[in-house]
Amino acid sequence: MSANVQKNRMTRRVLAAAAGLATMGALVAAMPAGAHDRGHGHGHGHGHKPRTVDVQLLSFNDLHGNLEPPAGSAGNVSETQPDGTVKAIPAGGVEYLATSLRTARKGNPYSVTAAGGDMVGASPLLSGLFHDEPTIEALNKLDLDVTAVGNHEFDEGATELARLQNGGCHPVEGCYEKGKKFKGADFPYLAANVTKEKTGKPLLKPYTVWKKNGVKIGFIGVTLEGTPDIVTANGVKGLKFHDEVETINKYARELDRKGVKSIVALIHEGGAPASTSYNYDCDSPGAGDGISGPIVDIAKGITPKVDALVTGHTHQAYVCTVPDPSGKPRMVTSASSFGKLYTDTTLTYDRRTNDIVRTSVKSANHIVTRDQPKAADMTSLISRWNKLAAPIANKPQGWISADINGRGSTALEKPLGNVIADAQLEGLAPADKGGAEVAFMNPGGIRADLVHKASGSEGDGVVTYGEAFTVQPFTNMMNVVDLTGAQLVAALQQQVSGSNEASPKILQISKGLTYTLDLTKTGAARVVTDSIKLNGEAIDPARTYRVAMNEFLAGGGDGFPALGQGTNKLVGASDLDVFNAYLAAHSSATAPLAPPATDRITVVQ
């Protein structure tokens, strides 16, 4: 990172402090515990720099363009109370995230802010409508120093990712504001394990080095190797994704040869803690015992040259200590998603060795609460973009009688998943639309809940275009294909086997399709084959069925190669258009849509 960029950052931070974004009393009161003590170094130095200095690492992940506070259950953080009960705390929103980060930086002259990927993509309409330019602008104002790419940074392909980094108006839609040209990110996107197929060269910078007063910390950024499995084929066209551990170890050696001994890995891959409470101790009973998932093996394989791991992707909250290959403790963190948490990590830097004193690393997650002052510059940014989005965003699409949960539902069969699958079946069932008999929806594509409480002035129960867009933001085109009964069965088995065995992905299914999922069994046997019925009739392995799904699933995405075997494809309307048409057809102000029953999948625990 250039000296000029860092100088500009420092100037902005000084100006922001002088502008009085919040009162000093409020800032001090909101400081994380211990924040007053950090950043002063240790040891004795009569006129000399102390041997060690505390570097504050602030981090977050999986923002997904959530500039406004996320609605419904997706906007809550779970906190375990002293009596063992769990409390839901509303959190998130970039106005509050900015205040939280600026408050945390107070008294910390050595502070660096990093992110673990998926800053954009699957974004609410306020950002997604403008190809996430508003979010990049907000991250610049947040003084983000560096981020890894996530899989969603590839949703619109490598060319669009390069535009987010380097700036320039959209090649099709142009500039959104008269006289203003999009400047791009003033922080580096790191993609160490993503190379161009033709040249073998990295797509973006593999690492960057943060420097201040002789202190040097290297950041290596990677996304999960399996990105091509969860992004449309066009999004990753011409790219290769490499092993996370091998890549990080390669560039850690390179940084070490350059004299950079303090290294942080930004990894867009994560784990699953045993509890969803953000304050759960995942080092109980022993180091790293309370977390599972891909990040555990990754952490155990990354060279001891790396001092800390900032992770993401799973939208979970954890601060764990997973031993490195030499057995030394190493911090592995994740700050949930949507800007609801941030992680504050203290890295004690030894000026003599230029390395981190690993035993002194301390870390904790903090809630981005909504009872603190809003950052005025973020409020202004949101207001400016909302005015541009309003003509589209505020248009009513339908009415609901109560919350219909999707992303916020922990059930395998989600109420909103049923609504979406039914919408896709209905929209593609006519003969001239594809003749669909059944529809599948991938659970990860449901990005939010439909919330009954009004988000603006539209009134309770009204579903606006902006809210529908937040649920279905990808604008995937619908496909209808021929699949045999045997392929349908194989697809259902692939929910719990193959690449999905360790972390099942349960498809949301349209009305008429029923089956039993027996979780007491393992692998493909969890799907009870003879229980699979369509409209009460057993699936015939030899018969051909017309199946509707989005283009991502039709390409075999999310570990469903059987769905990618479809033939006689017909391309229909977008998933969002089909969803909105269903809301319009099945609801009104006097007869709102009620949450559907969830009785299509019988689950045996």
Side-chain angles (χ1 to χ4, degrees):
M1 189 178 298
S2 72
N4 285 335
V5 169
Q6 291 199 40
K7 182 178 179 181
N8 290 339
R9 288 250 169 81
M10 184 57 66
T11 301
R12 285 206 304 274
R13 288 174 183 171
V14 171
L15 289 174
L21 293 173
T23 64
M24 183 59 71
L27 289 173
V28 173
M31 273 192 185
H36 308 74
D37 306 318
R38 296 186 191 138
H40 302 298
H42 304 283
H44 304 281
H46 301 283
H48 301 288
K49 289 181 179 179
R51 175 169 173 173
T52 62
V53 60
D54 282 350
V55 177
Q56 179 190 56
L57 171 61
L58 300 175
S59 58
F60 58 97
N61 51 276
D62 295 277
L63 181 64
H64 290 288
N66 278 262
L67 301 180
E68 296 176 296
S73 56
N76 291 333
V77 169
S78 296
E79 180 182 65
T80 299
Q81 307 301 300
D83 63 0
T85 60
V86 177
K87 181 180 179 181
I89 301 175
V94 76
E95 294 160 297
Y96 304 109
L97 178 60
T99 297
S100 291
L101 295 178
R102 290 164 183 171
T103 299
R105 290 179 186 134
K106 293 289 182 179
N108 291 280
Y110 293 85
S111 183
V112 57
T113 304
D118 274 6
M119 294 296 96
V120 301
S123 305
L125 185 129
L126 177 60
S127 186
L129 185 63
F130 306 106
H131 296 275
D132 285 310
E133 289 182 20
T135 296
I136 298 298
E137 183 180 337
L139 293 172
N140 288 343
K141 290 179 180 292
L142 278 178
D143 288 320
L144 181 63
D145 289 294
V146 59
T147 184
V149 294
N151 53 286
H152 280 286
E153 264 82 19
F154 294 93
D155 283 346
E156 296 189 50
T159 301
E160 175 62 8
L161 174 56
R163 188 182 76 88
L164 292 180
Q165 176 72 86
N166 302 318
C169 296
H170 193 270
V172 176
E173 298 179 20
C175 299
Y176 295 111
E177 295 177 286
K178 188 175 181 180
K180 287 188 178 181
K181 182 180 178 182
F182 176 55
K183 296 180 180 179
D186 67 5
F187 53 88
Y189 261 112
L190 304 182
N193 66 330
V194 186
T195 58
K196 300 175 185 177
E197 283 184 348
K198 289 184 178 180
T199 65
K201 294 182 178 180
L203 175 67
L204 297 170
K205 291 176 62 173
Y207 61 79
T208 191
V209 180
W210 179 85
K211 301 176 183 178
K212 185 174 182 182
N213 296 337
V215 174
K216 296 186 294 184
I217 298 179
F219 289 87
I220 303 168
V222 298
T223 186
L224 69 156
E225 184 182 6
T227 291
D229 298 326
I230 53 176
V231 175
T232 59
N234 284 337
V236 295
K237 188 176 181 180
L239 302 175
K240 282 192 174 182
F241 293 77
H242 304 276
D243 182 85
E244 304 95 334
V245 174
E246 292 176 5
T247 302
I248 291 170
N249 289 350
K250 169 187 172 182
Y251 286 111
R253 290 192 296 270
E254 185 172 316
L255 283 167
D256 186 63
R257 288 195 299 270
K258 292 183 175 182
V260 179
K261 307 296 182 181
S262 297
I263 303 172
V264 174
L266 308 176
I267 308 171
H268 192 69
E269 178 62 288
S275 168
T276 57
S277 290
Y278 90 97
N279 56 341
Y280 165 71
D281 180 8
C282 66
D283 282 340
S284 177
D289 285 345
I291 188 170
S292 60
I295 199 61
V296 176
D297 287 339
I298 289 173
K300 289 179 178 179
I302 290 175
T303 172
K305 295 179 187 297
V306 174
D307 299 293
L309 278 58
V310 172
T311 73
H313 186 56
T314 56
H315 291 203
Q316 300 299 309
Y318 48 83
V319 175
C320 302
T321 307
V322 180
D324 70 17
S326 71
K328 291 177 63 179
R330 181 166 57 192
M331 201 64 73
V332 180
T333 69
S334 175
S336 184
S337 63
F338 302 165
K340 294 180 290 188
L341 297 176
Y342 71 93
T343 313
D344 190 337
T345 303
T346 301
L347 302 172
T348 301
Y349 184 91
D350 189 326
R351 291 184 182 275
R352 188 175 299 174
T353 64
N354 297 324
D355 206 350
I356 300 299
V357 182
R358 195 83 73 76
T359 55
S360 299
V361 175
K362 299 175 183 177
S363 187
N365 275 328
H366 300 275
I367 302 177
V368 177
T369 60
R370 299 181 194 169
D371 58 0
Q372 60 184 317
K374 295 180 180 181
D377 57 340
M378 294 301 177
T379 301
S380 176
L381 181 151
I382 289 171
S383 176
R384 198 178 92 241
W385 286 102
N386 262 330
K387 286 179 181 177
L388 291 174
I392 297 174
N394 297 333
K395 186 177 179 182
Q397 301 298 308
W399 290 260
I400 56 175
S401 64
D403 289 358
I404 304 180
N405 288 335
R407 192 78 181 185
S409 171
T410 58
L412 298 179
E413 181 184 347
K414 305 177 189 302
L416 189 50
N418 286 358
V419 172
I420 292 171
D422 287 352
Q424 294 178 353
L425 175 61
E426 183 172 298
L428 283 303
D432 62 338
K433 303 294 184 183
E437 301 169 82
V438 64
F440 291 134
M441 175 64 194
N442 55 307
I446 307 169
R447 304 305 299 184
D449 304 327
L450 282 184
V451 179
H452 185 265
K453 184 179 179 181
S455 59
S457 60
E458 75 276 9
D460 291 348
V462 178
V463 180
T464 65
Y465 185 91
E467 290 165 341
F469 184 97
T470 299
V471 170
Q472 293 259 265
F474 298 107
T475 318
N476 277 321
M477 303 310 293
M478 291 303 303
N479 288 186
V480 185
V481 299
D482 283 348
L483 288 172
T484 65
Q487 289 170 325
L488 277 181
V489 172
L492 292 174
Q493 292 173 330
Q494 286 163 3
Q495 299 176 113
V496 288
S497 63
S499 61
N500 292 329
E501 182 165 3
S503 182
K505 292 187 176 74
I506 305 304
L507 294 165
Q508 306 301 287
I509 56 178
S510 56
K511 61 183 178 182
L513 183 62
T514 57
Y515 71 95
T516 297
L517 189 64
D518 188 349
L519 298 181
T520 65
K521 298 180 180 178
T522 59
R526 289 175 169 177
V527 175
V528 182
T529 306
D530 59 10
S531 72
I532 305 172
K533 295 181 180 180
L534 181 60
N535 299 322
E537 294 185 3
I539 293 290
D540 180 352
R543 190 197 143 188
T544 297
Y545 295 84
R546 292 293 283 167
V547 184
M549 67 193 95
N550 61 45
E551 61 185 313
F552 170 63
L553 278 180
D558 257 359
F560 291 98
L563 296 181
Q565 296 170 359
T567 58
N568 192 23
K569 180 171 71 174
L570 183 146
V571 178
S574 75
D575 52 6
L576 179 60
D577 286 345
V578 167
F579 182 47
N580 282 332
Y582 185 85
L583 291 173
H586 291 271
S587 69
S588 67
T590 55
L593 181 69
T598 50
D599 55 3
R600 301 170 188 181
I601 305 173
T602 301
V603 180
V604 179
Q605 299 285 357

